[in-house]
Amino acid sequence: MKFLRYGEVGQEKPGLLDDDGTIRDLSGVLTGVLTGDLQGEALGKLGDLHDLDLQALPVVGGSPRLGPPVAGTGKFICIGLNYADHAAESGLAVPPEPVIFMKATSAICGPNDPIVIPRGSTKTDWEVELAVVIGKTAKYVSEAEAMDHVAGFCVTNDVSERAFQTERQGQWTKGKSCDNFGQIGPWLVTPDEIADPQQLGMWLTVNGETMQDGSTSTMVYGVAFLIHYLSQFMSLHPGDVISTGTPPGVGLGQKPPRYLKPGDVVELGIGGLGAQRQIVIAD
């Protein structure tokens, strides 16, 4: 199933996308059954909704804004250099263990919300990534057990300010955490709809020009391993998001490097998970 949240910022309601592409409201179903929204322990119970009569759910008319499909994310964990060809274009070696950094949860926004170039930015960049949303607490889990802890998968744009990231000292977090640097969605797709998360095509265009055209099959460390690995260092809780890395084609890797400017249009997607469209604006 494809779960989503729709409405104005801070007032989103839970919904789902039916087989005809119609948004259906879930507010009445979730109230008193789960938590009233797609967050917390509710994420581990999404499978309970598979027997719903979708045609009986209220239709959401018009073209509402889509928010991030998950609310209340506690941790936004990112994996760096997880595609060998992206590491090469960045001039860096493939790491012997996953590179982990955090992206501030305040960066999270809807899939079609604008990319906001922060003040002082000169190198705002794009990164299409597969995001994994945790549905059940994971601590010291084995790789074989890891996928049992997944609520679903999403598209995310790990927007990055490269000068902040690499030229301003310290860790990468400051170049990854600016407002509207974490578009997630359009929906949360449950694992039963994704036969193999390691066989998903992914793409990104800027002003209609293809910049990234890759596949999750070329990840260095796959989804199950990443959940297992992270759970050795910290508990993963329902609603936590793991952004699993990007294939080559980012602005930093262009020759010469190319970065976003106000008025640019970024579109991106992953097979089976939907697409995003963002207009670039200045803060």
Side-chain angles (χ1 to χ4, degrees), residues 99-112:
V99 171
I100 301 170
F101 62 93
M102 294 290 192
K103 196 176 184 88
T105 56
S106 56
I108 294 174
C109 59
N112 302 316

Side-chain angles (χ1 to χ4, degrees), residues 71-86:
T73 293
K75 295 190 287 296
F76 195 167
I77 308 167
C78 298
I79 309 300
L81 305 174
N82 198 28
Y83 289 72
D85 34 14
H86 171 57

Side-chain angles (χ1 to χ4, degrees), residues 213-267:
D213 183 10
S215 170
T216 59
S217 64
T218 63
M219 279 186 190
V220 178
Y221 302 105
V223 170
F225 179 81
L226 290 172
I227 295 169
H228 152 70
Y229 182 83
L230 290 168
S231 77
Q232 309 308 304
F233 302 99
M234 66 190 84
S235 293
L236 302 175
H237 297 119
D240 286 350
V241 175
I242 304 169
S243 197
T244 58
T246 197
V250 300
L252 174 67
Q254 306 300 310
K255 302 193 182 304
R258 173 178 170 181
Y259 299 109
L260 295 171
K261 61 186 185 302
D264 285 344
V265 177
V266 179
E267 297 179 89

Side-chain angles (χ1 to χ4, degrees), residues 23 35 87 94-96 115 127 143 163 168 176 192 206 209-210 214 239 248:
I23 296 176
T35 66
V94 174
I115 293 172
E127 293 189 12
E143 189 171 354
R168 297 287 297 272
K176 298 283 190 171
D192 58 291
V206 178
E209 179 183 355
T210 297

